[in-house]
Amino acid sequence: MKVLILEPTARYDRYLPELPAAGRMELVFTDREGPEERWLAAGGDADALVAASVTPVTGELIARMPHLKLIHSDGVGYDRIDLAAARERGIYVCNCAGCNAGPVAELAVTLMSMLLHRTLWGDRMVRAGRQHEAVNELAAHVPEDLSTCRVGLVGFGAIGQATAQRLLANGSEVFYYARHRRDPAVEAACGARYLPLYELAETCDIISLHLPATPESTHLLDRAFFGRMRPGSYLVNTARGAVIDDAALCEAIRSGRLAGAALDAYDPEPVTAEHPLVRLAAECPDRLILCPHQGGISHAAFREAARMVFAGLEKLMDGKRPERVVNGL
């Protein structure tokens, strides 16, 4: 079976799992940046395509790969893949749901703590030789910490649940919203309680996003949502940029409705210096933390993603349906 992988060879040299089936596959690696003609020249006759979650897999590309049976994101996201075109051809589309749950949850909780403790501001003050002034400011306006906060998670899959468990260890009161409420046993294990979306916004000191970009979730956090958030609350997004209406978020920050935000995803990506949130960060340097979409970049996440991808390829070779199919086949 021929597999076209739109990733550097070095990543798979390091993380390729020791599966017997891997030795029976012809693996072809090429640059994730394209263009599509380069990919097709390298492996247009491939049976399977593996792509980074940020790499577009268009309907045109799918149409020009006649033997294609499986498209596998090597991350959690799959919103850059033309799901309808793949489904029409009977091609499975799979992702690596849960592969990066621990690292992304760790980043989310870290960003929450940085916002609460005004870490960027404190760093700037010390660098300017104003440590004493900073300490006096904090003593006069003592910040909250995670043990005194109510945190609301929007989305409660593997990453949301891993985040809840870490917050529970920090003593936070945790709530969540998801389209489908989880079983009581899952809620109990995570120490989280369900709330409707707007009630979550009204209740919590921090809102943290943990859901994919879908037509239903696009701009889920809009002007109406931010208007319901508690004055002085915070937003953390380690999910997808499209979930947020950027204009509404900028308005909520500028007006003071939100005390701050920490972001690890944007719409579109790669983000440029002209993006409204990047420009806002220049205006409010102590209230916005901008990360380069790094949550899932870790040894643990890459190792688990490679295992999931090759387990799916192995099932395809054996004529079985792979796991984590996201396009309904």
Side-chain angles (χ1 to χ4, degrees):
M1 183 172 76
K2 187 170 184 177
V3 183
L4 177 62
I5 301 177
L6 309 183
E7 287 281 12
T9 309
R11 173 169 168 178
Y12 282 86
D13 286 344
R14 181 164 191 170
Y15 299 109
L16 187 69
E18 295 183 4
L19 294 174
R24 296 185 283 127
M25 299 175 192
E26 179 187 355
L27 305 181
V28 178
F29 296 88
T30 187
D31 192 327
R32 70 160 68 173
E33 303 301 329
E36 289 185 358
E37 293 298 333
R38 182 185 302 162
W39 299 340
L40 291 166
D45 58 343
D47 303 285
L49 173 66
V50 179
S53 58
V54 296
T55 299
V57 178
T58 65
E60 181 181 354
L61 177 65
I62 293 168
R64 297 177 69 186
M65 298 184 69
H67 304 296
L68 199 58
K69 303 177 185 66
L70 169 67
I71 302 169
H72 210 304
S73 166
D74 68 3
V76 175
Y78 52 87
D79 51 295
R80 306 299 298 276
I81 301 171
D82 191 329
L83 301 182
R87 181 181 173 85
E88 187 175 340
R89 281 268 309 278
I91 298 167
Y92 295 116
V93 177
C94 301
N95 75 337
C96 296
C99 71
N100 58 4
V104 175
E106 182 179 321
L107 178 63
V109 174
T110 298
L111 293 174
M112 294 176 203
S113 185
M114 289 179 68
L115 288 169
L116 289 170
H117 291 283
R118 301 175 61 187
T119 303
L120 292 185
W121 170 82
D123 176 83
R124 179 174 61 79
M125 292 292 282
V126 173
R127 288 171 187 263
R130 300 167 65 187
Q131 179 188 4
H132 185 66
E133 182 183 341
V135 170
N136 288 339
E137 165 69 14
L138 291 171
H141 302 91
V142 179
E144 301 289 344
D145 58 52
L146 286 172
S147 70
T148 63
C149 284
R150 292 181 170 185
V151 182
L153 309 177
V154 181
F156 206 58
I159 297 174
Q161 292 173 33
T163 303
Q165 290 166 348
R166 285 157 174 77
L167 288 167
L168 186 63
N170 279 280
S172 303
E173 193 172 359
V174 183
F175 302 86
Y176 79 94
Y177 164 79
R179 291 179 64 192
H180 305 289
R181 184 170 180 175
R182 299 301 188 262
D183 293 336
V186 173
E187 294 183 350
C190 297
R193 286 177 280 169
Y194 174 85
L195 286 177
L197 183 62
Y198 281 173
E199 191 173 340
L200 190 84
E202 294 165 349
T203 300
C204 296
D205 306 294
I206 302 170
I207 296 293
S208 185
L209 305 185
H210 303 282
L211 70 171
T214 65
E216 293 76 23
S217 68
T218 298
H219 289 189
L220 182 67
L221 270 65
D222 55 11
R223 184 173 284 104
F225 182 90
F226 291 125
R228 297 289 190 100
M229 286 182 67
R230 294 167 58 88
S233 56
Y234 297 93
L235 174 70
V236 173
N237 184 14
T238 54
R240 285 293 182 267
V243 178
I244 298 174
D245 179 337
D246 289 338
L249 174 57
C250 289
E251 181 181 303
I253 294 285
R254 286 193 177 101
S255 70
R257 181 83 189 186
L258 268 63
L263 310 170
D264 191 40
Y266 312 90
D267 184 34
E269 291 190 24
V271 72
T272 70
E274 298 306 311
H275 192 284
L277 291 170
V278 177
R279 295 176 69 178
L280 180 65
E283 297 176 32
C284 311
D286 300 330
R287 297 172 59 202
L288 266 79
I289 302 171
L290 304 184
C291 299
H293 207 147
Q294 68 190 74
I297 301 177
S298 77
H299 290 305
F302 282 0
R303 191 175 296 111
E304 180 63 5
R307 185 197 67 76
M308 290 181 172
V309 167
F310 278 86
L313 293 171
E314 186 174 34
K315 286 205 168 188
L316 186 70
M317 286 185 67
D318 295 338
K320 299 177 182 177
R321 181 180 185 272
E323 296 180 4
R324 297 174 299 279
V325 176
V326 297
N327 65 332
L329 292 181

